Amino acid sequence: MSIISAIVRKDLVIEYRSRQTFVTTLFFGLLVLVVGNFSLSIGGEQQTVIAPGILWISFLFSGLLFLNHILATEKEENSLDGLLISPATPGQLFLGKMISATIFLVTLETILFPVFHILFNFQFTLNSIWLYLVILLAALGYCSLGVLLATMALGLKNREIILSVLLFPILIPLLIMAVKSSIILLNQLKMDQFYNWLKLLIGFDIIYVVLSYWSYHWILEDV
Amino acid sequence: MSNVRISDKILLFLIFIMVPVALYFAFAYAPEERVMGVVQRIFYFHVSSAWTSLLSFFFVFVGGALYLWKNDKRFDYFAYAAAELGVFFCTIVIVTGPIWAKPVWNVWWTWDPRLTSTFVLWLIFVAYLILRSSLADHPAVRKYASVYGIIGFIDVPIVYLSIYWWRTIHPRVITPAKVDLHPKMWYSVLICWATILLLYTVLMKLRIRMERLKEEVQILQERVQED
């Protein structure tokens, strides 16, 4: 446990001290919200149905930037070798990286979340708390797969493109769950369907956290 | 053709006989569908390709898992071949689907659960092939691909479930409870599937052998360079 928290602390301290990646990614997420608004030229009644999609596109793309970054820096600074010879097992390394990526993404979304509400005229209600939970769960599933696949892409020249190509097809169900539950929550629709989506989302997280944890040592052997 | 094995010759001969038989069953033996007419006959190739591709993606999963477990390259050859052929047959499904859908549903494409999940499946395994080709010389390409194949196949039921919670308009011809087909149509599907499976077997054998030979060539090349 202390090993995992040491890795998390290390990553967060690095990000906190430089802050550059965080601010850039945050700005990028904000830009996607704005660009999404213009490219779909939404307004009026459709807005409440379409706007949640823009939130999740912003979520996906800003997360992708960060997932590339969090492992690439280890490689560029040659600190990956240090991590590999440390007493941490591959599973612990994975959990550490996954947790710090999730914390990063959730922090980012915590800032973008009210901005999204304001830009698209959604009321803050009790449902906003549920939506925040959905963001938390989606970030967890996203980062567990993301860390695994970003490690695979590490050795490649075109790793940014490869990561998105590998990640997005597998994330499609996660995206559907997130968008569908956001539409229900933001439009104050009946909640029973939302609970189904929530259960599916939790199932997705469990499956992929376990699977990535279990398979990480094969990936890490030959980075 | 001296390196074609006897078993391959028998298989090829069987295919040579079965292809005309399957065509006869699909175009002459099976009765014409009352509403859809002749375009319905694409169903025999569409459905049998769909079953074959799903089977093939399952083989990618099995091959990947066995490779990680036993660390035997032959399982990876098998998984790689299955992925390529799975994508090939899945492409046939995705191409024949719209050809049928245009006259019957009056649209080329609709985001119906089965269509969408087949399409997502296709995307996942195309990504698998992209991963393999971009990692071509990487020492861990087999491990990475195996892990990705497993992750991708486990995604299939989740994809299907999440997409299914929308309304479906795809004809549910074959459900667990009953088969909604004329017996003659049913025989024709099975004959077509058997033919495609034969073809699949031959292609798999060839593809696996090619992968093995590639490996041998590489080993020989390395030896030459050392000398």
Side-chain angles (χ1 to χ4, degrees):
Chain A
M1 205 60 204
S2 62
I3 294 177
I4 299 172
S5 64
I7 296 169
V8 175
R9 201 171 337 123
K10 169 191 85 68
D11 280 348
L12 293 181
V13 166
I14 292 172
E15 294 310 326
Y16 178 72
R17 290 204 180 137
S18 70
R19 280 186 290 265
Q20 197 196 350
T21 317
F22 186 79
V23 174
T24 318
T25 318
L26 180 68
F27 188 65
F28 177 76
L30 181 68
L31 273 178
V32 175
L33 287 183
V34 176
V35 170
N37 176 58
F38 286 127
S39 61
L40 296 171
S41 67
I42 55 176
E45 283 178 8
Q46 309 149 320
Q47 177 160 320
T48 52
V49 184
I50 298 175
I54 299 175
L55 174 70
W56 289 103
I57 290 175
S58 152
F59 174 90
L60 274 190
F61 283 103
S62 38
L64 189 69
L65 283 187
F66 181 67
L67 284 168
N68 264 313
H69 163 82
I70 194 169
L71 282 144
T73 42
E74 297 284 2
K75 181 113 177 162
E76 280 154 16
E77 309 289 333
N78 288 324
S79 51
L80 194 65
D81 296 333
L83 277 181
L84 288 174
I85 55 171
S86 73
T89 63
Q92 286 168 327
L93 272 180
F94 166 76
L95 288 177
K97 280 287 171 196
M98 185 198 74
I99 292 168
S100 47
T102 311
I103 292 175
F104 187 94
L105 193 55
V106 169
T107 315
L108 194 88
E109 290 301 321
T110 310
I111 300 171
L112 283 179
F113 191 61
V115 177
F116 167 78
H117 275 71
I118 292 163
L119 284 180
F120 294 94
N121 278 322
F122 287 113
Q123 301 291 322
F124 285 95
T125 56
L126 194 64
N127 280 357
S128 302
I129 300 170
W130 281 113
L131 185 56
Y132 194 70
L133 178 71
V134 172
I135 288 177
L136 211 73
L137 289 170
L140 187 66
Y142 186 18
C143 292
S144 66
L145 269 170
V147 166
L148 179 78
L149 296 176
T151 316
M152 274 192 202
L154 260 188
L156 297 170
K157 277 194 200 112
N158 51 351
R159 61 168 175 256
E160 283 88 3
I161 309 165
I162 288 291
L163 179 60
S164 53
V165 165
L166 295 180
L167 203 48
F168 287 170
I170 305 215
L171 283 177
I172 287 173
L174 184 83
L175 187 66
I176 293 173
M177 297 167 208
V179 170
K180 279 281 173 181
S181 33
S182 315
I183 291 175
I184 294 171
L185 291 173
L186 289 167
N187 291 297
Q188 325 283 339
L189 302 178
K190 262 193 257 161
M191 291 292 274
D192 45 344
Q193 260 196 333
F194 166 72
Y195 295 128
N196 281 338
W197 289 113
L198 194 67
K199 277 182 220 155
L200 201 60
L201 193 57
I202 293 172
F204 185 95
D205 280 4
I206 293 173
I207 289 172
Y208 280 109
V209 170
V210 171
L211 211 60
S212 311
Y213 174 82
W214 166 77
S215 57
Y216 203 61
H217 70 274
W218 281 301
I219 304 303
L220 214 53
E221 270 168 25
D222 303 273
V223 167
Chain B
M1 293 290 277
S2 61
N3 55 358
V4 175
R5 292 174 195 162
I6 294 291
S7 60
D8 288 356
K9 278 187 182 165
I10 295 171
L11 269 173
L12 284 170
F13 182 70
L14 272 175
I15 290 172
F16 187 71
I17 295 172
M18 283 299 283
V19 168
V21 171
L23 288 174
Y24 170 78
F25 267 80
F27 286 105
Y29 177 77
E32 184 135 321
E33 217 277 339
R34 211 181 307 150
V35 186
M36 296 181 234
V38 74
V39 73
Q40 184 267 339
R41 291 180 193 277
I42 210 167
F43 165 85
Y44 303 108
F45 306 102
H46 178 75
V47 170
S48 38
S49 300
W51 288 345
T52 310
S53 73
L54 200 59
L55 185 72
S56 200
F57 292 143
F58 177 63
F59 287 161
V60 179
F61 169 75
V62 173
L66 284 173
Y67 174 74
L68 290 178
W69 183 30
K70 300 275 186 196
N71 202 14
D72 184 338
K73 277 178 190 168
R74 280 176 299 177
F75 292 121
D76 183 62
Y77 300 155
F78 178 75
Y80 193 6
E84 274 188 5
L85 287 174
V87 168
F88 172 73
F89 282 104
C90 200
T91 310
I92 293 181
V93 176
I94 290 177
V95 171
T96 51
I99 296 174
W100 173 85
K102 182 64 185 162
V104 177
W105 289 342
N106 205 23
V107 283
W108 290 110
W109 183 266
T110 157
W111 293 93
D112 142 278
R114 283 202 191 188
L115 269 71
T116 314
S117 36
T118 310
F119 190 38
V120 173
L121 195 62
W122 184 83
L123 289 174
I124 290 175
F125 284 93
V126 170
Y128 173 97
L129 295 181
I130 291 175
L131 173 70
R132 290 209 79 130
S133 63
S134 56
L135 279 169
D137 300 322
H138 198 282
V141 58
R142 296 183 206 285
K143 278 181 210 152
Y144 288 10
S146 303
V147 169
Y148 194 75
I150 292 171
I151 290 176
F153 190 76
I154 287 178
D155 209 28
V156 174
I158 308 173
V159 168
Y160 190 76
L161 190 64
S162 61
I163 295 175
Y164 191 75
W165 286 354
W166 293 341
R167 201 170 59 85
T168 173
I169 66 164
H170 194 286
R172 304 241 325 164
V173 178
I174 296 161
T175 54
K178 67 179 172 85
V179 176
D180 220 4
L181 270 185
H182 190 282
K184 282 187 171 179
M185 290 180 170
W186 192 215
Y187 299 141
S188 307
V189 175
L190 288 181
I191 297 270
C192 282
W193 193 33
T195 312
I196 286 188
L197 277 182
L198 277 175
L199 183 67
Y200 178 77
T201 314
V202 172
L203 290 174
M204 273 294 270
K205 287 183 77 165
L206 288 175
R207 189 64 189 80
I208 291 169
R209 196 180 306 157
M210 198 174 115
E211 208 50 37
R212 208 184 56 228
L213 290 174
K214 237 196 260 175
E215 184 79 17
E216 275 174 33
V217 168
Q218 206 182 349
I219 291 169
L220 288 174
Q221 269 175 346
E222 278 164 17
R223 200 181 294 164
V224 168
Q225 277 166 359
E226 277 168 23
D227 294 342

